[in-house]
Structure formats: C-alpha cells, structure tokens
Amino acid sequence: MRPELPGFYFDEEKKKYFAIKGPIPGSKPSSSSSRTKQKPEPKPFKEPNYQKRKKLKALKLLCSRELSGSVIAVNKKKSNFKEEIEKTQASKPVVWRYDSTENIGDAALKQFQVDIQTSQGLTTKNILVAGSSGGCLSILRVSKPGQIPFVESETQALNGGTECEPVCVLPRKEEREAPRLIWRPAHSHLHALSSISSIQLIGRSDASQHHVKRALITTLGSAGRGSIFILSLAEEPYIVTPRSLQGNVSSECTIWTADCSVSGTLAAIGTNLGAALVDLETGAGSYFLRTESDVLALQFHQSKGNIVQCGLRNGAIVSVDVRERPSRLTRHQIRSQSSSRTSQATRKKEWFKLRGNINPSHVLYMPSSLTCMKALKTYDQYLMASSMDGTIKLYDQRMVKRGVAVQTYEGHVNSHTRIEFGIDPSERFLMSGGEDCYTRIWSIKSGQLLSENKFSNSVPSVVCWSAVEGHSEWKDSIVHGAWLGSREAIFNMF
C-alpha cells in the first residue's frame, strides 16, 4: 500500500508520484468538484445603437450646443447638433391608428394636395388616395384638428361618410391629440377585379405649383389582365376613367408597377412581359424592354427623362434608354442572379436574355426579387433598392461597375412580401415595415437603425409622405406626417 501524499497521486504503471493539476486520468469527476465548478459569466448585453440613441436626451444636446455651438461631441465624435436632434426625435415616433380604415390601404397609398372647385370658389384640400389588395380605391379627406374637412355645400354630396377616430398606439397607454384627422367616404371610387398595384401622380408637383389634377391608377390584373385608370381630381365627385391599352402592348398582362414622366404625358408600366411606354392621352403603347423576368419595380430617372430604371424578378436592375424604336430592340445577355452564388465554372453557362437599349456593364444585382426602388431627389445618382430576402441597399450609380453598395441597412425582415419603403422629404431617414409587423427607421447617411416598433398586427406594406415637394409644411420634416398602410388600418406617424 503506497502512502498518500497530499497534492500527489501514484501511477502504478510508471511507479511514480505526480502532482495533481487537474482531474486524475481515468477517474470519475466527484460530486464536490462539479458543485464547486463555476459557470462562465454571461457576456454583458450590448444594446443596439438605436436604444442608446433613445437615452441621448435632448436636454444634453441643447447644453452641448450652448457650450460648443452647432458642432457638438457625441460618443467621443464630432457631430452636427441638428442631425443629432433629428435622430433623437426619429427614435421616438408617435403613431396613431385610424378606426374604420381596415382593408383599404394595404396595397398602395399616396397623399396629394388638390384644388377643388366648389360653390365658394377654388378650395385647397388634402386627400389620401388608398388602394387595397381587394381592388378598392378610396379617397379620404385629410384635415388638421379644428379645420373643417368640407364646406356646407359638400355636406349633401358627402352624406354617409365616416370620420375615422384616431387612437394613439405609440407610446402605448398615452392619450395624445392626433395632428391629422381623416374622413372616409361611404363608397369606394373604384371596385376593380384585382389588387391595386400602384398610385402615381401625373406630372410634377412642387411648392410653386402644387395643384394635383390627375393620378394614374393600375391594377395587378385578374387572370393576367391588368388595367390602367386615370383619376381626375379637378372637382368632386372624382372621376375614374379606364384607359385601354393600344399598339403592341398586350392587354393580357400583369401590371406590377408604374411611373409617370415629369411632363405627365407618358407612363411606364412594368409587366410580366417586360416594360412598356404608354401615352396617357391615347393609350397607345410600345415595349421598350422585353424580358422573361417580370418587371416588379421601375421609375423614370429624375434628371434624365429618357431613362427608365427597371427592377426585375431575378434581382437585376437595368437602365433602359426609351428613345430606341420598338422594332429595333437590341438583344442582350446579362448574368443571371443565381450564377453570382455559383462557382466560376458554372457561371459562364447561366445567362439571362432580354431586349432593349441597355448597357450590360451597368447592371446592378440584388440578392433576390426587387420589391421597391427609389432614387434620391437631392442626389439622383443615389439609388435605393430593396429585395424580397430583406436586403435594403443604397447604390451610387456612378460606381455601378464595382457592383458594391455604398450603404446597407440591417434589420429589415422579409421573405416573400411586396413591401414599399419610404424616404422622408428631407431624405435623411428611411422607413419600412417588415414581415414581423415591425416598422423600422434608419439613418440614410450612416445606415444606423434608429427605432423598431410594433404597433400593427399585420404587415405595414406601404409608406408615403405628402407628394408636394418642397412644401413649407415639410421643409424641416423628419418622420413627421408619414402614412403607413396595412390590412389592419391606416396609421399616421408624427
């Protein structure tokens, strides 16, 4: 029997004592050692940036401005006082839900300012044009508290409507007066056979001439028969006129999206057969892009009215010169989006055919199908796009050949839903709903997620601000006046 030495054990094979530095080889761990074994300390919780932003009090910023001027120190970095105040306000939005607005604004939403001819003369009114996935088009009257939404001469014509009661849903359990009131008419202005796919202003709207007289309405199409309508807003009752497609544009196509030229004479429509240019007066149309992939998003280039940017189902974004004649559409082959994830050996075999006046070297690629695409109006070389896998990116079109986004916005949730994001009039903030029913706000410049809030039980699928550019009400807008549409209701964020 070998004597036991404290701190040592005896190895029978090697006939030697060894110091005990850990568990003895082959021995079972004792219950006492398992008890004394401490659990690793959990990693400290790291707050997201937008939560830190909420704790940045406006009072501190004001004190910093008094001491340092407009350039202040935030998180050991120099920053602009006005930008920091706006970020702080954007991180704490106030949201109202409007009763009696369910299932009317989940497909398309636009706010316009119109001049209506009444018995008392020309009257300026704010309206909200809402389109639903069920094919209903509703025109809601918007007013401020204490403002009469319609004059006495309109009472009889508008009899049977509903004043939509605003309910503050964010912050919860707080009663605040809504900055906007809306009134819903008794009947919809249009009952289409399929979902409203887009609502677009016809012609330019600005501060000096903000009279909106017409709007373009498109429907998705039942059994592949999309439709185009012209909504006249010059006087009440509003008139919706169908515009039949003429020329070589097929009437049996699905219309996913549309946009109008600055002059208001032409409209570009995105279909399952390609993209076409339509004369809004005659309905005559012709394809300027033929493709096997649906055109899910498109827009006229702000400064180059002869260029239309098209976002395809396969994730490609192409810029097309619409001056080329339809009979002379050039054939091209561009890389298929699926090939970007494959090896170099198989990449050469996967190509996508299309016809149009495009430059294949200037094609952008998103990871999956396009859902929304908008160019910044202040800097029209910057293009923001979102895809169905939840990706939102900002591209500089002067650096297209590199194919690298200048900014990416993390946190968006999507897998298959067509969600339209919104950019505020100051072009400092990006807002979008997600499939998880959360609404998120990012800083466009830094890509920082400023807030994410859930106030709707259905997906907030559309976001819009007033269509009046440069109007004094939105001069210093942050997220003020944003409208959001879901199947549950219409919401206003202020």
Side-chain angles (χ1 to χ4, degrees):
M1 188 73 179
R2 303 287 180 184
E4 292 187 4
L5 300 177
F8 292 87
Y9 72 95
F10 185 80
D11 192 318
E12 293 292 344
E13 294 181 0
K14 298 183 179 180
K15 306 297 183 181
K16 290 176 65 176
Y17 284 95
F18 292 93
I20 300 175
K21 296 182 179 179
I24 299 174
S27 65
K28 295 182 179 180
S30 63
S31 59
S32 60
S33 63
S34 62
R35 280 199 247 9
T36 57
K37 187 178 180 181
Q38 296 181 352
K39 295 181 179 179
E41 293 184 3
K43 295 181 179 179
F45 174 71
K46 188 177 181 180
E47 291 180 324
N49 289 334
Y50 71 89
Q51 288 184 347
K52 291 181 181 179
R53 177 69 54 188
K54 288 182 180 179
K55 296 179 180 179
L56 192 61
K57 302 297 184 181
L59 185 59
K60 281 188 176 181
L61 293 174
L62 288 170
C63 292
S64 300
R65 186 188 65 172
E66 293 299 319
L67 295 173
S68 308
S70 59
V71 179
I72 60 176
V74 178
N75 296 329
K76 299 181 180 180
K77 295 180 180 179
K78 290 184 178 181
S79 183
N80 182 272
F81 167 78
K82 184 178 179 181
E83 290 182 1
E84 293 302 320
I85 280 289
E86 289 176 345
K87 288 180 181 179
T88 303
Q89 293 175 348
S91 67
K92 301 177 182 179
V94 183
V95 182
W96 286 267
R97 183 190 69 239
Y98 290 85
D99 294 339
S100 305
T101 58
E102 60 275 359
N103 297 319
I104 65 171
D106 60 312
L109 204 61
K110 287 288 187 296
Q111 182 183 350
F112 298 132
Q113 192 174 58
V114 297
D115 288 340
I116 301 173
Q117 187 66 45
T118 65
S119 59
Q120 298 181 359
L122 207 60
T123 307
T124 301
K125 298 292 182 181
N126 290 294
I127 62 172
L128 191 64
V129 184
S132 73
S133 56
C136 294
L137 182 73
S138 303
I139 301 177
L140 296 84
R141 185 70 63 83
V142 181
S143 63
K144 295 180 180 180
Q147 182 181 5
I148 301 175
F150 46 85
V151 296
E152 292 183 4
S153 60
E154 299 176 276
T155 305
Q156 185 175 0
L158 301 175
N159 188 30
T162 305
E163 184 177 346
C164 305
E165 185 70 22
V167 179
C168 185
V169 294
L170 189 73
R172 301 185 185 279
K173 298 182 180 179
E174 286 193 21
E175 293 185 4
R176 300 194 184 189
E177 184 182 18
R180 296 288 183 273
L181 302 176
I182 59 177
W183 184 91
R184 178 183 177 182
H187 305 287
S188 300
H189 288 77
L190 174 67
H191 289 277
L193 298 176
S194 61
S195 172
I196 304 294
S197 57
S198 71
I199 301 172
Q200 297 295 334
L201 168 69
I202 297 178
R204 181 178 291 277
S205 174
D206 53 35
S208 60
Q209 186 179 359
H210 54 263
H211 314 294
V212 177
K213 295 184 178 180
R214 296 190 304 166
L216 175 69
I217 313 295
T218 61
T219 64
L220 200 60
S222 177
R225 288 181 175 270
S227 304
I228 295 178
F229 299 89
I230 304 297
L231 172 62
S232 176
L233 299 169
E235 59 182 0
E236 290 187 326
Y238 303 119
I239 300 174
V240 181
T241 307
R243 181 73 74 233
S244 58
L245 295 174
Q246 308 291 336
N248 68 345
V249 180
S250 173
S251 59
E252 297 186 1
C253 63
T254 301
I255 300 179
W256 292 105
T257 184
D259 192 22
C260 296
S261 62
V262 174
S263 63
T265 58
L266 298 173
I269 59 173
T271 74
N272 60 319
L273 302 176
L277 213 57
V278 179
D279 189 308
L280 292 176
E281 298 302 325
T282 63
S286 58
Y287 285 101
F288 60 85
L289 178 68
R290 295 303 296 262
T291 169
E292 300 171 355
S293 182
D294 298 32
V295 179
L296 300 180
L298 59 73
Q299 66 169 9
F300 279 92
H301 195 282
Q302 295 293 325
S303 59
K304 302 175 182 177
N306 55 347
I307 300 294
V308 178
Q309 296 164 315
C310 303
L312 310 183
R313 184 182 290 276
N314 68 351
I317 301 175
V318 298
S319 296
V320 189
D321 191 332
V322 297
R323 293 173 296 182
E324 188 176 9
R325 294 181 180 180
S327 59
R328 298 179 56 189
L329 293 180
T330 308
R331 296 178 182 270
H332 298 278
Q333 283 187 330
I334 63 174
R335 175 169 54 87
S336 176
Q337 175 55 33
S338 60
S339 65
S340 63
R341 301 180 182 178
T342 57
S343 63
Q344 184 71 26
T346 59
R347 186 174 298 178
K348 297 179 181 179
K349 299 180 182 179
E350 297 185 359
W351 293 92
F352 179 74
K353 295 180 181 179
L354 49 77
R355 288 185 293 159
N357 189 10
I358 70 169
N359 187 344
S361 64
H362 286 71
V363 178
L364 293 170
Y365 294 93
M366 290 290 285
S368 64
S369 303
L370 267 291
T371 58
C372 187
M373 184 174 61
K374 294 180 180 180
L376 300 186
K377 294 176 181 178
T378 309
Y379 306 100
D380 58 3
Q381 294 297 336
Y382 285 98
L383 176 70
M384 190 172 292
S386 64
S387 57
M388 286 193 183
D389 66 338
T391 301
I392 304 180
K393 292 185 176 182
L394 180 66
Y395 290 96
D396 186 338
Q397 299 180 78
R398 295 166 296 185
M399 303 168 63
V400 169
K401 291 184 178 181
R402 297 185 182 182
V404 179
V406 296
Q407 192 59 266
T408 302
Y409 305 92
E410 303 290 345
H412 182 50
V413 178
N414 194 12
S415 62
H416 62 276
T417 308
R418 291 191 67 206
I419 298 176
E420 180 182 353
F421 60 74
I423 299 173
D424 80 305
S426 67
E427 296 190 337
R428 296 187 183 98
F429 300 99
L430 163 69
M431 184 189 302
S432 179
E435 279 187 351
D436 55 355
C437 301
Y438 277 79
T439 298
R440 295 174 174 85
I441 301 174
W442 295 266
S443 167
I444 292 180
K445 182 179 179 180
S446 66
Q448 181 184 32
L449 178 63
L450 300 175
S451 72
E452 56 179 357
N453 297 285
K454 183 178 180 180
F455 47 79
S456 173
N457 294 320
S458 58
V459 179
S461 51
V462 288
V463 180
C464 80
W465 274 269
S466 171
V468 182
E469 301 172 10
H471 195 253
S472 58
E473 185 178 357
W474 311 115
K475 184 177 179 181
D476 297 319
S477 173
I478 303 170
V479 291
H480 292 175
W483 295 97
L484 298 98
S486 71
R487 291 189 176 184
E488 179 185 345
I490 290 176
F491 300 85
N492 185 228
M493 182 177 289
F494 217 83

